[in-house]
Amino acid sequence: MNKPAMNQKAVNKQAMTKNLKKSAIMKQGVQYSALIAAMSFAVVGLHSTVVFAVENDVVAVENNMVTAENVTNTATEPMLNTSPVSVENAVTSSAADITAEKERTPSPSLPPIDESTYIANPKDKDVAALQAHLLPFYADKDAVQYYHAKKAATWLSYAAHEGSERAPKKTMRKTALAEAERIISALEQGQADQLSLTTTVPKGSEVMRRDLWSNAEWLKYQTGFSCAQSQVAQAEVMLVWAAAEQCELGWRHSREKFLAAQRLLDKANDQALSCQSQQGQATFRQDMPKINYPSFDALNGGQNICQGVKGAWPIWAPAAASE
Protein backbone atom coordinates (compact mmCIF):
# COMPACT_ATOMS: atom_id res chain seq x y z
CA MET A 1 0.00 0.00 0.00
CA ASN A 2 1.40 3.35 -0.96
CA LYS A 3 2.09 6.15 1.51
CA PRO A 4 -0.78 8.53 0.46
CA ALA A 5 -3.34 5.78 1.07
CA MET A 6 -1.93 5.14 4.54
CA ASN A 7 -2.05 8.85 5.37
CA GLN A 8 -5.68 9.04 4.24
CA LYS A 9 -6.58 6.08 6.41
CA ALA A 10 -4.96 7.75 9.44
CA VAL A 11 -6.86 10.96 8.73
CA ASN A 12 -10.15 9.07 8.48
CA LYS A 13 -9.43 7.30 11.78
CA GLN A 14 -8.69 10.58 13.53
CA ALA A 15 -11.89 12.14 12.15
CA MET A 16 -13.93 9.16 13.37
CA THR A 17 -12.36 9.37 16.84
CA LYS A 18 -13.05 13.10 16.97
CA ASN A 19 -16.69 12.57 16.00
CA LEU A 20 -17.13 9.91 18.68
CA LYS A 21 -15.70 12.22 21.34
CA LYS A 22 -17.95 15.06 20.16
CA SER A 23 -21.02 12.80 20.34
CA ALA A 24 -20.11 11.73 23.85
CA ILE A 25 -19.66 15.34 24.97
CA MET A 26 -23.02 16.34 23.44
CA LYS A 27 -24.75 13.40 25.14
CA GLN A 28 -23.23 14.35 28.48
CA GLY A 29 -24.33 17.99 27.94
CA VAL A 30 -27.89 16.88 27.29
CA GLN A 31 -27.87 14.87 30.50
CA TYR A 32 -26.56 17.85 32.49
CA SER A 33 -29.18 20.12 30.93
CA ALA A 34 -31.96 17.74 31.89
CA LEU A 35 -30.62 17.54 35.45
CA ILE A 36 -30.40 21.34 35.75
CA ALA A 37 -33.94 21.75 34.38
CA ALA A 38 -35.30 19.23 36.89
CA MET A 39 -33.54 21.00 39.75
CA SER A 40 -34.89 24.39 38.56
CA PHE A 41 -38.47 23.13 38.48
CA ALA A 42 -38.03 21.74 41.99
CA VAL A 43 -36.65 25.05 43.31
CA VAL A 44 -39.44 27.05 41.63
CA GLY A 45 -42.05 24.74 43.11
CA LEU A 46 -40.53 25.06 46.58
CA HIS A 47 -40.31 28.86 46.26
CA SER A 48 -43.95 29.10 45.19
CA THR A 49 -45.03 26.98 48.15
CA VAL A 50 -43.06 29.12 50.61
CA VAL A 51 -44.32 32.40 49.14
CA PHE A 52 -47.92 31.18 49.26
CA ALA A 53 -47.50 30.17 52.90
CA VAL A 54 -45.95 33.52 53.81
CA GLU A 55 -48.70 35.43 52.01
CA ASN A 56 -51.30 33.45 53.96
CA ASP A 57 -49.57 34.36 57.22
CA VAL A 58 -49.44 38.05 56.26
CA VAL A 59 -53.11 38.11 55.32
CA ALA A 60 -54.00 36.37 58.58
CA VAL A 61 -52.08 38.94 60.61
CA GLU A 62 -53.60 41.84 58.65
CA ASN A 63 -57.07 40.51 59.36
CA ASN A 64 -56.32 40.75 63.09
CA MET A 65 -54.46 44.08 63.07
CA VAL A 66 -56.50 46.97 64.34
CA THR A 67 -54.83 49.27 61.85
CA ALA A 68 -55.67 47.32 58.73
CA GLU A 69 -59.41 46.82 58.79
CA ASN A 70 -60.83 45.47 55.58
CA VAL A 71 -63.71 47.62 54.29
CA THR A 72 -65.10 49.14 51.10
CA ASN A 73 -63.45 52.18 49.55
CA THR A 74 -65.80 55.17 49.48
CA ALA A 75 -63.51 58.17 49.89
CA THR A 76 -63.92 60.91 47.34
CA GLU A 77 -60.48 62.51 47.16
CA PRO A 78 -57.94 60.45 45.13
CA MET A 79 -54.63 59.17 46.49
CA LEU A 80 -51.62 61.45 46.34
CA ASN A 81 -49.08 61.10 43.58
CA THR A 82 -45.80 62.93 44.00
CA SER A 83 -46.41 66.15 45.92
CA PRO A 84 -49.08 67.92 47.99
CA VAL A 85 -49.97 70.08 45.02
CA SER A 86 -50.62 67.07 42.81
CA VAL A 87 -52.41 65.05 45.48
CA GLU A 88 -55.73 65.31 43.70
CA ASN A 89 -54.31 63.60 40.59
CA ALA A 90 -52.84 60.64 42.38
CA VAL A 91 -52.95 56.89 42.06
CA THR A 92 -56.46 55.48 42.37
CA SER A 93 -56.81 52.12 44.00
CA SER A 94 -59.99 50.37 45.00
CA ALA A 95 -60.18 48.84 48.44
CA ALA A 96 -62.89 46.61 47.00
CA ASP A 97 -60.28 45.10 44.68
CA ILE A 98 -57.98 44.54 47.64
CA THR A 99 -60.82 42.86 49.51
CA ALA A 100 -61.59 40.59 46.55
CA GLU A 101 -57.91 39.63 46.26
CA LYS A 102 -57.72 38.69 49.93
CA GLU A 103 -60.92 36.67 49.68
CA ARG A 104 -59.30 34.56 46.96
CA THR A 105 -56.44 33.71 49.33
CA PRO A 106 -57.60 31.48 52.20
CA SER A 107 -56.19 32.38 55.60
CA PRO A 108 -56.46 30.65 58.95
CA SER A 109 -58.68 32.32 61.53
CA LEU A 110 -56.79 33.73 64.49
CA PRO A 111 -58.23 34.43 67.93
CA PRO A 112 -59.19 38.06 68.62
CA ILE A 113 -56.69 40.24 70.45
CA ASP A 114 -57.36 40.92 74.12
CA GLU A 115 -56.69 44.64 74.42
CA SER A 116 -56.51 44.48 78.22
CA THR A 117 -53.29 42.43 78.11
CA TYR A 118 -51.86 42.90 74.62
CA ILE A 119 -48.48 44.61 74.21
CA ALA A 120 -48.00 45.26 70.50
CA ASN A 121 -44.24 45.93 70.50
CA PRO A 122 -42.63 43.96 73.34
CA LYS A 123 -39.12 44.14 71.84
CA ASP A 124 -39.11 47.94 71.90
CA LYS A 125 -38.69 48.53 75.64
CA ASP A 126 -39.53 52.26 75.56
CA VAL A 127 -42.69 51.69 73.55
CA ALA A 128 -43.75 48.55 75.43
CA ALA A 129 -43.50 50.35 78.79
CA LEU A 130 -45.85 53.09 77.59
CA GLN A 131 -48.21 50.58 75.98
CA ALA A 132 -48.58 48.89 79.38
CA HIS A 133 -49.82 52.19 80.85
CA LEU A 134 -52.65 52.24 78.30
CA LEU A 135 -54.13 48.83 79.13
CA PRO A 136 -56.55 50.04 81.87
CA PHE A 137 -58.05 52.63 79.53
CA TYR A 138 -59.32 50.08 77.01
CA ALA A 139 -62.03 48.78 79.37
CA ASP A 140 -64.78 51.32 78.62
CA LYS A 141 -65.10 51.54 74.86
CA ASP A 142 -67.90 54.11 75.04
CA ALA A 143 -65.90 56.67 77.02
CA VAL A 144 -63.91 59.43 75.36
CA GLN A 145 -60.80 58.11 77.10
CA TYR A 146 -60.97 55.08 74.77
CA TYR A 147 -60.54 57.36 71.75
CA HIS A 148 -57.46 58.96 73.33
CA ALA A 149 -56.04 55.60 74.40
CA LYS A 150 -56.30 54.22 70.85
CA LYS A 151 -54.72 57.38 69.48
CA ALA A 152 -51.81 57.06 71.92
CA ALA A 153 -51.44 53.39 71.00
CA THR A 154 -51.17 54.28 67.33
CA TRP A 155 -48.56 56.94 68.07
CA LEU A 156 -46.60 54.23 69.89
CA SER A 157 -46.89 51.85 66.93
CA TYR A 158 -45.56 54.65 64.76
CA ALA A 159 -42.67 55.21 67.20
CA ALA A 160 -41.84 51.50 67.20
CA HIS A 161 -41.77 51.46 63.41
CA GLU A 162 -39.44 54.45 63.31
CA GLY A 163 -37.22 52.82 65.90
CA SER A 164 -36.80 49.77 63.68
CA GLU A 165 -35.63 51.90 60.75
CA ARG A 166 -31.91 52.35 60.15
CA ALA A 167 -32.13 56.07 59.49
CA PRO A 168 -29.60 58.00 61.61
CA LYS A 169 -32.19 60.60 62.66
CA LYS A 170 -35.14 59.44 64.70
CA THR A 171 -37.03 62.74 64.72
CA MET A 172 -40.48 61.30 64.07
CA ARG A 173 -39.92 58.56 66.66
CA LYS A 174 -39.26 61.22 69.30
CA THR A 175 -42.32 63.16 68.16
CA ALA A 176 -44.58 60.09 68.27
CA LEU A 177 -43.31 59.11 71.71
CA ALA A 178 -43.89 62.64 72.99
CA GLU A 179 -47.47 62.68 71.70
CA ALA A 180 -48.19 59.31 73.30
CA GLU A 181 -46.66 60.37 76.62
CA ARG A 182 -48.70 63.59 76.64
CA ILE A 183 -51.96 61.65 76.16
CA ILE A 184 -51.06 58.94 78.68
CA SER A 185 -50.16 61.52 81.31
CA ALA A 186 -53.56 63.22 80.94
CA LEU A 187 -55.40 59.89 81.07
CA GLU A 188 -53.64 58.82 84.23
CA GLN A 189 -54.51 62.14 85.87
CA GLY A 190 -58.18 61.72 84.99
CA GLN A 191 -58.11 64.58 82.50
CA ALA A 192 -59.39 62.78 79.41
CA ASP A 193 -62.16 65.34 78.97
CA GLN A 194 -59.59 68.11 78.82
CA LEU A 195 -57.69 66.54 75.95
CA SER A 196 -58.47 68.00 72.55
CA LEU A 197 -60.05 65.71 69.97
CA THR A 198 -58.04 67.50 67.29
CA THR A 199 -55.01 65.45 66.25
CA THR A 200 -51.63 67.18 66.10
CA VAL A 201 -49.84 67.35 62.75
CA PRO A 202 -46.21 67.88 63.77
CA LYS A 203 -43.10 68.98 61.90
CA GLY A 204 -41.90 66.27 59.59
CA SER A 205 -45.44 65.72 58.33
CA GLU A 206 -48.19 67.81 56.74
CA VAL A 207 -51.85 67.71 55.72
CA MET A 208 -52.80 65.47 52.80
CA ARG A 209 -56.01 63.61 51.93
CA ARG A 210 -58.21 66.51 53.05
CA ASP A 211 -61.31 64.40 52.44
CA LEU A 212 -60.21 61.86 55.06
CA TRP A 213 -59.32 64.51 57.61
CA SER A 214 -62.75 66.10 57.07
CA ASN A 215 -64.48 62.74 57.40
CA ALA A 216 -62.72 62.08 60.70
CA GLU A 217 -63.73 65.48 62.12
CA TRP A 218 -67.30 65.10 60.92
CA LEU A 219 -67.66 61.73 62.65
CA LYS A 220 -66.72 63.29 65.98
CA TYR A 221 -69.94 65.33 65.85
CA GLN A 222 -72.18 62.32 65.17
CA THR A 223 -73.92 60.53 68.00
CA GLY A 224 -72.59 57.22 66.62
CA PHE A 225 -69.00 58.35 67.25
CA SER A 226 -68.79 56.21 70.38
CA CYS A 227 -69.07 53.14 68.14
CA ALA A 228 -66.28 54.30 65.83
CA GLN A 229 -63.77 55.94 68.18
CA SER A 230 -61.06 53.35 67.68
CA GLN A 231 -61.03 53.58 63.89
CA VAL A 232 -61.13 57.39 63.85
CA ALA A 233 -58.27 57.71 66.34
CA GLN A 234 -56.07 55.28 64.43
CA ALA A 235 -56.91 56.79 61.04
CA GLU A 236 -55.87 60.28 62.12
CA VAL A 237 -52.45 59.15 63.30
CA MET A 238 -52.08 57.03 60.16
CA LEU A 239 -52.69 60.16 58.08
CA VAL A 240 -49.89 61.93 59.94
CA TRP A 241 -47.66 58.87 59.50
CA ALA A 242 -48.43 58.51 55.79
CA ALA A 243 -47.75 62.18 55.05
CA ALA A 244 -44.43 61.95 56.90
CA GLU A 245 -43.50 58.93 54.75
CA GLN A 246 -44.45 60.96 51.67
CA CYS A 247 -42.24 63.83 52.81
CA GLU A 248 -39.27 61.58 53.47
CA LEU A 249 -39.47 58.80 50.91
CA GLY A 250 -42.17 59.61 48.35
CA TRP A 251 -45.63 58.33 47.53
CA ARG A 252 -44.61 54.71 46.96
CA HIS A 253 -43.83 54.41 50.67
CA SER A 254 -46.88 56.34 51.83
CA ARG A 255 -49.52 54.77 49.60
CA GLU A 256 -50.35 51.74 51.76
CA LYS A 257 -50.63 53.85 54.91
CA PHE A 258 -53.04 56.24 53.21
CA LEU A 259 -55.09 53.26 52.10
CA ALA A 260 -55.07 51.91 55.66
CA ALA A 261 -56.38 55.24 56.95
CA GLN A 262 -59.05 55.21 54.27
CA ARG A 263 -60.18 51.71 55.19
CA LEU A 264 -60.33 52.65 58.86
CA LEU A 265 -62.58 55.63 58.16
CA ASP A 266 -64.80 53.61 55.85
CA LYS A 267 -65.21 51.15 58.71
CA ALA A 268 -65.88 54.01 61.13
CA ASN A 269 -68.65 55.35 58.89
CA ASP A 270 -70.29 51.94 58.72
CA GLN A 271 -70.04 51.33 62.45
CA ALA A 272 -71.42 54.76 63.34
CA LEU A 273 -74.37 54.21 61.00
CA SER A 274 -75.03 50.73 62.38
CA CYS A 275 -74.85 52.01 65.94
CA GLN A 276 -77.40 54.72 65.28
CA SER A 277 -79.72 52.34 63.43
CA GLN A 278 -79.71 49.95 66.39
CA GLN A 279 -80.72 52.82 68.62
CA GLY A 280 -83.77 53.48 66.45
CA GLN A 281 -82.33 56.59 64.81
CA ALA A 282 -82.51 55.37 61.24
CA THR A 283 -82.22 58.90 59.91
CA PHE A 284 -78.77 59.25 61.46
CA ARG A 285 -76.41 59.77 58.63
CA GLN A 286 -76.96 62.32 56.00
CA ASP A 287 -74.31 62.99 53.42
CA MET A 288 -71.29 64.89 54.59
CA PRO A 289 -71.70 68.62 53.90
CA LYS A 290 -69.92 69.95 50.89
CA ILE A 291 -66.63 71.43 51.98
CA ASN A 292 -64.56 74.01 50.19
CA TYR A 293 -61.17 72.67 51.15
CA PRO A 294 -58.43 75.17 51.93
CA SER A 295 -55.48 74.89 49.57
CA PHE A 296 -52.45 72.84 50.46
CA ASP A 297 -50.39 76.03 50.50
CA ALA A 298 -52.74 77.52 53.09
CA LEU A 299 -52.69 74.38 55.22
CA ASN A 300 -49.02 73.52 54.99
CA GLY A 301 -47.43 76.94 54.74
CA GLY A 302 -46.68 77.42 51.07
CA GLN A 303 -43.24 76.19 50.11
CA ASN A 304 -42.33 75.18 53.68
CA ILE A 305 -43.89 71.78 53.30
CA CYS A 306 -43.49 68.99 55.87
CA GLN A 307 -43.43 71.50 58.73
CA GLY A 308 -46.79 70.69 60.25
CA VAL A 309 -50.03 72.64 59.95
CA LYS A 310 -49.68 76.38 59.35
CA GLY A 311 -53.28 77.26 58.49
CA ALA A 312 -56.59 76.96 60.35
CA TRP A 313 -56.97 73.55 61.99
CA PRO A 314 -58.95 71.30 62.15
CA ILE A 315 -59.99 71.28 58.53
CA TRP A 316 -63.74 71.09 59.30
CA ALA A 317 -66.12 72.12 62.06
CA PRO A 318 -69.91 72.51 62.21
CA ALA A 319 -69.61 76.31 62.23
CA ALA A 320 -67.73 76.26 58.95
CA ALA A 321 -70.34 73.97 57.42
CA SER A 322 -73.17 76.24 58.46
CA GLU A 323 -71.45 79.21 56.89
Side-chain angles (χ1 to χ4, degrees), residues 19 31 55 75-76 107 163 167 186 190 208 224 230-231 238-239 252-253 271 280 284 288 296 307-308 311 316 322:
N19 289 335
Q31 292 174 345
E55 286 179 349
T76 57
S107 59
M208 299 182 182
S230 175
Q231 289 74 26
M238 287 297 293
L239 287 171
R252 291 182 183 278
H253 293 265
Q271 287 187 337
F284 151 67
M288 275 188 61
F296 289 110
Q307 295 298 312
W316 181 88
S322 63

mmCIF file of all heavy atoms in Angstrom, residues 19 31 55 75-76 107 163 167 186 190 208 224 230-231 238-239 252-253 271 280 284 288 296 307-308 311 316 322:
data_model
loop_
_atom_site.group_PDB
_atom_site.id
_atom_site.type_symbol
_atom_site.label_atom_id
_atom_site.label_comp_id
_atom_site.label_asym_id
_atom_site.label_seq_id
_atom_site.Cartn_x
_atom_site.Cartn_y
_atom_site.Cartn_z
ATOM 1 N N ASN A 19 -15.220 12.572 16.044
ATOM 2 C CA ASN A 19 -16.692 12.575 16.004
ATOM 3 C C ASN A 19 -17.283 11.814 17.186
ATOM 4 O O ASN A 19 -18.307 12.211 17.761
ATOM 5 C CB ASN A 19 -17.195 11.966 14.700
ATOM 6 C CG ASN A 19 -16.930 12.879 13.512
ATOM 7 O OD1 ASN A 19 -16.805 14.102 13.681
ATOM 8 N ND2 ASN A 19 -16.834 12.306 12.314
ATOM 9 N N GLN A 31 -27.547 15.424 29.181
ATOM 10 C CA GLN A 31 -27.869 14.873 30.500
ATOM 11 C C GLN A 31 -27.778 15.946 31.575
ATOM 12 O O GLN A 31 -28.634 16.053 32.458
ATOM 13 C CB GLN A 31 -26.931 13.707 30.829
ATOM 14 C CG GLN A 31 -27.150 12.474 29.940
ATOM 15 C CD GLN A 31 -26.121 11.390 30.192
ATOM 16 O OE1 GLN A 31 -25.081 11.651 30.818
ATOM 17 N NE2 GLN A 31 -26.400 10.178 29.715
ATOM 18 N N GLU A 55 -47.589 34.529 52.323
ATOM 19 C CA GLU A 55 -48.696 35.431 52.011
ATOM 20 C C GLU A 55 -49.914 35.108 52.873
ATOM 21 O O GLU A 55 -50.609 35.995 53.350
ATOM 22 C CB GLU A 55 -49.056 35.326 50.533
ATOM 23 C CG GLU A 55 -48.042 36.008 49.630
ATOM 24 C CD GLU A 55 -48.406 35.862 48.169
ATOM 25 O OE1 GLU A 55 -49.301 35.070 47.864
ATOM 26 O OE2 GLU A 55 -47.789 36.548 47.338
ATOM 27 N N ALA A 75 -64.015 56.799 49.791
ATOM 28 C CA ALA A 75 -63.513 58.167 49.885
ATOM 29 C C ALA A 75 -63.566 58.860 48.533
ATOM 30 O O ALA A 75 -63.478 58.232 47.485
ATOM 31 C CB ALA A 75 -62.067 58.162 50.396
ATOM 32 N N THR A 76 -63.703 60.166 48.573
ATOM 33 C CA THR A 76 -63.918 60.910 47.343
ATOM 34 C C THR A 76 -62.661 61.553 46.792
ATOM 35 O O THR A 76 -62.570 61.796 45.606
ATOM 36 C CB THR A 76 -64.946 62.022 47.581
ATOM 37 O OG1 THR A 76 -64.473 62.862 48.641
ATOM 38 C CG2 THR A 76 -66.281 61.428 47.974
ATOM 39 N N SER A 107 -57.067 32.118 54.467
ATOM 40 C CA SER A 107 -56.187 32.377 55.601
ATOM 41 C C SER A 107 -56.791 31.774 56.852
ATOM 42 O O SER A 107 -58.005 31.786 57.031
ATOM 43 C CB SER A 107 -55.994 33.893 55.791
ATOM 44 O OG SER A 107 -57.239 34.518 56.020
ATOM 45 N N GLY A 163 -38.364 53.349 65.179
ATOM 46 C CA GLY A 163 -37.216 52.820 65.898
ATOM 47 C C GLY A 163 -36.568 51.649 65.192
ATOM 48 O O GLY A 163 -35.369 51.396 65.345
ATOM 49 N N ALA A 167 -32.454 54.659 59.724
ATOM 50 C CA ALA A 167 -32.132 56.066 59.487
ATOM 51 C C ALA A 167 -31.406 56.636 60.703
ATOM 52 O O ALA A 167 -31.766 56.341 61.847
ATOM 53 C CB ALA A 167 -33.416 56.852 59.228
ATOM 54 N N ALA A 186 -52.235 62.649 80.687
ATOM 55 C CA ALA A 186 -53.560 63.221 80.937
ATOM 56 C C ALA A 186 -54.556 62.139 81.353
ATOM 57 O O ALA A 186 -55.370 62.340 82.256
ATOM 58 C CB ALA A 186 -54.052 63.949 79.691
ATOM 59 N N GLY A 190 -56.732 61.577 85.079
ATOM 60 C CA GLY A 190 -58.176 61.715 84.991
ATOM 61 C C GLY A 190 -58.618 62.934 84.214
ATOM 62 O O GLY A 190 -59.701 63.486 84.467
ATOM 63 N N MET A 208 -52.427 66.017 54.097
ATOM 64 C CA MET A 208 -52.802 65.471 52.796
ATOM 65 C C MET A 208 -54.138 64.753 52.985
ATOM 66 O O MET A 208 -54.623 64.619 54.103
ATOM 67 C CB MET A 208 -51.732 64.515 52.275
ATOM 68 C CG MET A 208 -50.382 65.169 52.068
ATOM 69 S SD MET A 208 -49.182 64.005 51.388
ATOM 70 C CE MET A 208 -47.741 65.045 51.318
ATOM 71 N N GLY A 224 -73.128 58.573 66.753
ATOM 72 C CA GLY A 224 -72.587 57.225 66.624
ATOM 73 C C GLY A 224 -71.080 57.173 66.766
ATOM 74 O O GLY A 224 -70.466 56.122 66.566
ATOM 75 N N SER A 230 -62.333 54.022 67.922
ATOM 76 C CA SER A 230 -61.062 53.347 67.675
ATOM 77 C C SER A 230 -60.561 53.598 66.266
ATOM 78 O O SER A 230 -59.397 53.965 66.051
ATOM 79 C CB SER A 230 -61.223 51.843 67.906
ATOM 80 O OG SER A 230 -60.044 51.157 67.562
ATOM 81 N N GLN A 231 -61.440 53.416 65.281
ATOM 82 C CA GLN A 231 -61.033 53.580 63.889
ATOM 83 C C GLN A 231 -60.661 55.032 63.566
ATOM 84 O O GLN A 231 -59.698 55.288 62.841
ATOM 85 C CB GLN A 231 -62.147 53.107 62.943
ATOM 86 C CG GLN A 231 -62.361 51.611 62.912
ATOM 87 C CD GLN A 231 -63.043 51.091 64.149
ATOM 88 O OE1 GLN A 231 -63.793 51.810 64.826
ATOM 89 N NE2 GLN A 231 -62.789 49.839 64.482
ATOM 90 N N MET A 238 -52.573 57.623 61.411
ATOM 91 C CA MET A 238 -52.083 57.033 60.161
ATOM 92 C C MET A 238 -51.925 58.084 59.074
ATOM 93 O O MET A 238 -51.011 58.020 58.251
ATOM 94 C CB MET A 238 -53.037 55.932 59.688
ATOM 95 C CG MET A 238 -52.988 54.650 60.502
ATOM 96 S SD MET A 238 -51.374 53.811 60.451
ATOM 97 C CE MET A 238 -51.313 53.313 58.737
ATOM 98 N N LEU A 239 -52.808 59.082 59.054
ATOM 99 C CA LEU A 239 -52.693 60.158 58.079
ATOM 100 C C LEU A 239 -51.435 60.993 58.322
ATOM 101 O O LEU A 239 -50.758 61.424 57.386
ATOM 102 C CB LEU A 239 -53.940 61.045 58.119
ATOM 103 C CG LEU A 239 -55.208 60.436 57.515
ATOM 104 C CD1 LEU A 239 -56.420 61.314 57.813
ATOM 105 C CD2 LEU A 239 -55.062 60.236 56.008
ATOM 106 N N ARG A 252 -44.617 56.181 46.972
ATOM 107 C CA ARG A 252 -44.611 54.711 46.961
ATOM 108 C C ARG A 252 -44.550 54.145 48.381
ATOM 109 O O ARG A 252 -45.052 53.057 48.640
ATOM 110 C CB ARG A 252 -43.412 54.198 46.153
ATOM 111 C CG ARG A 252 -43.528 54.473 44.662
ATOM 112 C CD ARG A 252 -42.350 53.905 43.890
ATOM 113 N NE ARG A 252 -42.425 54.237 42.482
ATOM 114 C CZ ARG A 252 -43.133 53.585 41.592
ATOM 115 N NH1 ARG A 252 -43.833 52.530 41.965
ATOM 116 N NH2 ARG A 252 -43.150 53.961 40.320
ATOM 117 N N HIS A 253 -43.926 54.870 49.288
ATOM 118 C CA HIS A 253 -43.831 54.411 50.673
ATOM 119 C C HIS A 253 -45.045 54.831 51.495
ATOM 120 O O HIS A 253 -45.312 54.243 52.535
ATOM 121 C CB HIS A 253 -42.552 54.964 51.317
ATOM 122 C CG HIS A 253 -41.298 54.405 50.739
ATOM 123 N ND1 HIS A 253 -40.638 53.323 51.281
ATOM 124 C CD2 HIS A 253 -40.582 54.757 49.641
ATOM 125 C CE1 HIS A 253 -39.580 53.036 50.558
ATOM 126 N NE2 HIS A 253 -39.521 53.885 49.552
ATOM 127 N N GLN A 271 -69.735 51.656 61.054
ATOM 128 C CA GLN A 271 -70.044 51.332 62.447
ATOM 129 C C GLN A 271 -70.896 52.416 63.093
ATOM 130 O O GLN A 271 -71.799 52.111 63.877
ATOM 131 C CB GLN A 271 -68.745 51.135 63.228
ATOM 132 C CG GLN A 271 -68.037 49.828 62.871
ATOM 133 C CD GLN A 271 -66.841 49.553 63.753
ATOM 134 O OE1 GLN A 271 -66.266 50.464 64.348
ATOM 135 N NE2 GLN A 271 -66.440 48.308 63.829
ATOM 136 N N GLY A 280 -82.493 53.004 66.968
ATOM 137 C CA GLY A 280 -83.769 53.477 66.447
ATOM 138 C C GLY A 280 -83.695 54.824 65.758
ATOM 139 O O GLY A 280 -84.724 55.431 65.460
ATOM 140 N N PHE A 284 -80.052 58.744 60.961
ATOM 141 C CA PHE A 284 -78.769 59.246 61.462
ATOM 142 C C PHE A 284 -77.941 59.962 60.409
ATOM 143 O O PHE A 284 -77.744 61.148 60.478
ATOM 144 C CB PHE A 284 -77.950 58.086 62.046
ATOM 145 C CG PHE A 284 -76.466 58.277 61.948
ATOM 146 C CD1 PHE A 284 -75.823 59.273 62.663
ATOM 147 C CD2 PHE A 284 -75.702 57.471 61.127
ATOM 148 C CE1 PHE A 284 -74.457 59.451 62.573
ATOM 149 C CE2 PHE A 284 -74.345 57.646 61.031
ATOM 150 C CZ PHE A 284 -73.720 58.628 61.765
ATOM 151 N N MET A 288 -72.170 63.870 54.052
ATOM 152 C CA MET A 288 -71.294 64.890 54.593
ATOM 153 C C MET A 288 -71.545 66.208 53.868
ATOM 154 O O MET A 288 -71.797 66.219 52.661
ATOM 155 C CB MET A 288 -69.833 64.492 54.402
ATOM 156 C CG MET A 288 -69.280 63.591 55.474
ATOM 157 S SD MET A 288 -67.491 63.384 55.285
ATOM 158 C CE MET A 288 -66.933 65.072 55.485
ATOM 159 N N PHE A 296 -53.571 73.446 49.764
ATOM 160 C CA PHE A 296 -52.448 72.842 50.463
ATOM 161 C C PHE A 296 -51.443 73.899 50.906
ATOM 162 O O PHE A 296 -50.810 73.762 51.950
ATOM 163 C CB PHE A 296 -51.771 71.801 49.568
ATOM 164 C CG PHE A 296 -52.582 70.570 49.370
ATOM 165 C CD1 PHE A 296 -53.153 70.292 48.140
ATOM 166 C CD2 PHE A 296 -52.794 69.680 50.407
ATOM 167 C CE1 PHE A 296 -53.911 69.155 47.960
ATOM 168 C CE2 PHE A 296 -53.554 68.534 50.234
ATOM 169 C CZ PHE A 296 -54.114 68.269 49.004
ATOM 170 N N GLN A 307 -43.720 70.778 57.489
ATOM 171 C CA GLN A 307 -43.431 71.504 58.728
ATOM 172 C C GLN A 307 -44.669 71.591 59.619
ATOM 173 O O GLN A 307 -44.790 72.502 60.440
ATOM 174 C CB GLN A 307 -42.920 72.907 58.407
ATOM 175 C CG GLN A 307 -41.590 72.947 57.688
ATOM 176 C CD GLN A 307 -40.474 72.335 58.525
ATOM 177 O OE1 GLN A 307 -40.331 72.644 59.704
ATOM 178 N NE2 GLN A 307 -39.695 71.449 57.926
ATOM 179 N N GLY A 308 -45.587 70.676 59.446
ATOM 180 C CA GLY A 308 -46.793 70.688 60.252
ATOM 181 C C GLY A 308 -47.835 71.641 59.688
ATOM 182 O O GLY A 308 -47.661 72.224 58.614
ATOM 183 N N GLY A 311 -52.000 76.578 58.643
ATOM 184 C CA GLY A 311 -53.276 77.262 58.495
ATOM 185 C C GLY A 311 -54.260 76.890 59.589
ATOM 186 O O GLY A 311 -53.900 76.284 60.607
ATOM 187 N N TRP A 316 -62.266 70.955 59.375
ATOM 188 C CA TRP A 316 -63.737 71.087 59.298
ATOM 189 C C TRP A 316 -64.306 71.210 60.704
ATOM 190 O O TRP A 316 -63.800 70.639 61.654
ATOM 191 C CB TRP A 316 -64.349 69.864 58.632
ATOM 192 C CG TRP A 316 -65.850 69.940 58.504
ATOM 193 C CD1 TRP A 316 -66.566 70.494 57.493
ATOM 194 C CD2 TRP A 316 -66.815 69.430 59.437
ATOM 195 N NE1 TRP A 316 -67.916 70.385 57.728
ATOM 196 C CE2 TRP A 316 -68.101 69.734 58.931
ATOM 197 C CE3 TRP A 316 -66.726 68.777 60.654
ATOM 198 C CZ2 TRP A 316 -69.269 69.391 59.588
ATOM 199 C CZ3 TRP A 316 -67.894 68.423 61.334
ATOM 200 C CH2 TRP A 316 -69.154 68.729 60.779
ATOM 201 N N SER A 322 -71.970 75.410 58.480
ATOM 202 C CA SER A 322 -73.171 76.244 58.463
ATOM 203 C C SER A 322 -72.958 77.525 57.658
ATOM 204 O O SER A 322 -73.844 78.030 57.025
ATOM 205 C CB SER A 322 -73.570 76.600 59.905
ATOM 206 O OG SER A 322 -72.559 77.370 60.529
#
